[in-house]
């Protein structure tokens, strides 16, 4: 399945890395792609490291396992760089997307000699500015779409707005903040 884009997410419980992976699957599906979005379950608790995965393809997906050789790795919590080799299995043709206020150069020593592309996005600052709280999943989701180019920006924003309108039907004020966070992250990356 050479047309399949494989993404591995690293985060901590309650940071919504799992939710971002599921949202990506939902939005990609609505744009006509075949998708998978799933977490790796273990003894999850608030603050514990978690992993989630996406496969996105224009062809049916027949593999049903964790992703050991991702095309992209998304790190929602940069403190995980100290304890987990997030680049394990990642090709130098791929990319790492890290939620951090630090520069790529500052983070490179923690990436175990990884030679591929590294992108940073300050999802915390974006979410605080757009939403008033630290919800990094929307900015990280947008950054992932921008870097991976798995769908067109306009299609992504259209489907995300529809998803937010459904999810937050009783809290419409949250929709604008989330859309602003998505657009800010798309522009920052």
């Amino acid at each position: 399945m050479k047309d399949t884009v494989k993404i591995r997410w690293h985060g901590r419980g309650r940071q919504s890395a799992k939710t971002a992976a599921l949202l990506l699957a939902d939005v990609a599906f609505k744009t006509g792609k075949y998708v998978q979005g799933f977490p790796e379950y273990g003894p999850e608790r608030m603050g514990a490291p978690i992993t989630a995965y996406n496969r996105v393809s224009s062809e049916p997906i027949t593999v049903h396992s964790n992703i050991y050789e991702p095309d992209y790795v998304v790190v929602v919590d940069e403190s995980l760089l100290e304890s987990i080799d997030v680049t394990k299995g990642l090709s130098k043709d791929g990319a790492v997307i890290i939620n951090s206020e630090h520069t790529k150069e500052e983070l490179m020593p923690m990436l175990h000699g990884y030679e591929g592309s590294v992108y940073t996005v300050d999802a915390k600052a974006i979410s605080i500015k757009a939403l008033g709280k630290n919800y990094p999943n929307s900015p990280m989701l947008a950054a992932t779409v921008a870097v991976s180019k798995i769908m067109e920006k306009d299609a992504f924003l259209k489907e995300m707005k529809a998803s937010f309108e459904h999810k937050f039907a009783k809290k419409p004020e949250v929709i604008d903040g989330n859309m602003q966070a998505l657009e800010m992250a798309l522009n920052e990356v």
Side-chain angles (χ1 to χ4, degrees), residues 73-87 96-123 140 188:
V73 169
V74 184
V75 182
V76 180
D77 187 325
E78 74 176 308
S79 72
L80 292 170
L81 299 176
E82 298 169 9
S83 58
I84 297 172
D85 180 3
V86 299
T87 61
V96 181
I97 308 156
I98 305 169
N99 172 16
S100 179
E101 63 185 21
H102 296 100
T103 66
K104 166 188 171 177
E105 292 73 26
E106 292 172 306
L107 298 173
M108 289 304 287
M110 293 185 272
L111 296 178
H112 303 273
Y114 180 66
E115 297 175 356
S117 298
V118 177
Y119 298 86
T120 62
V121 60
D122 193 346
M140 293 308 291
E188 184 174 317

Side-chain angles (χ1 to χ4, degrees), residues 8-156:
R8 185 172 65 215
W9 297 76
H10 293 278
R12 292 191 182 277
R14 309 290 285 165
Q15 289 180 327
S16 299
K18 176 184 109 173
T19 301
L22 296 177
L23 270 171
L24 179 58
D26 184 51
V27 171
F29 177 76
K30 289 177 181 174
T31 64
K33 303 281 187 178
Y34 292 91
V35 299
Q36 290 178 345
F38 56 97
E40 179 178 355
Y41 283 108
E44 274 73 19
R45 61 197 178 285
M46 187 166 42
I50 67 107
T51 309
Y53 305 94
N54 284 109
R55 284 188 182 91
V56 180
S57 180
S58 59
E59 302 172 7
I61 300 169
T62 58
V63 176
H64 301 283
S65 68
N66 291 348
I67 296 171
Y68 302 102
E69 295 180 345
D71 300 304
Y72 301 95
V73 169
V74 184
V75 182
V76 180
D77 187 325
E78 74 176 308
S79 72
L80 292 170
L81 299 176
E82 298 169 9
S83 58
I84 297 172
D85 180 3
V86 299
T87 61
K88 186 175 183 179
L90 181 61
S91 160
K92 67 179 176 181
D93 296 330
V96 181
I97 308 156
I98 305 169
N99 172 16
S100 179
E101 63 185 21
H102 296 100
T103 66
K104 166 188 171 177
E105 292 73 26
E106 292 172 306
L107 298 173
M108 289 304 287
M110 293 185 272
L111 296 178
H112 303 273
Y114 180 66
E115 297 175 356
S117 298
V118 177
Y119 298 86
T120 62
V121 60
D122 193 346
K124 178 180 179 181
I126 289 171
S127 63
I128 289 173
K129 185 173 183 178
L131 298 162
K133 292 187 179 179
N134 184 13
Y135 296 119
N137 61 331
S138 287
M140 293 308 291
L141 174 58
T144 302
V145 169
V147 171
S148 67
K149 298 178 177 37
I150 55 176
M151 66 185 81
E152 294 294 321
K153 176 183 171 180
D154 291 339
F156 169 69

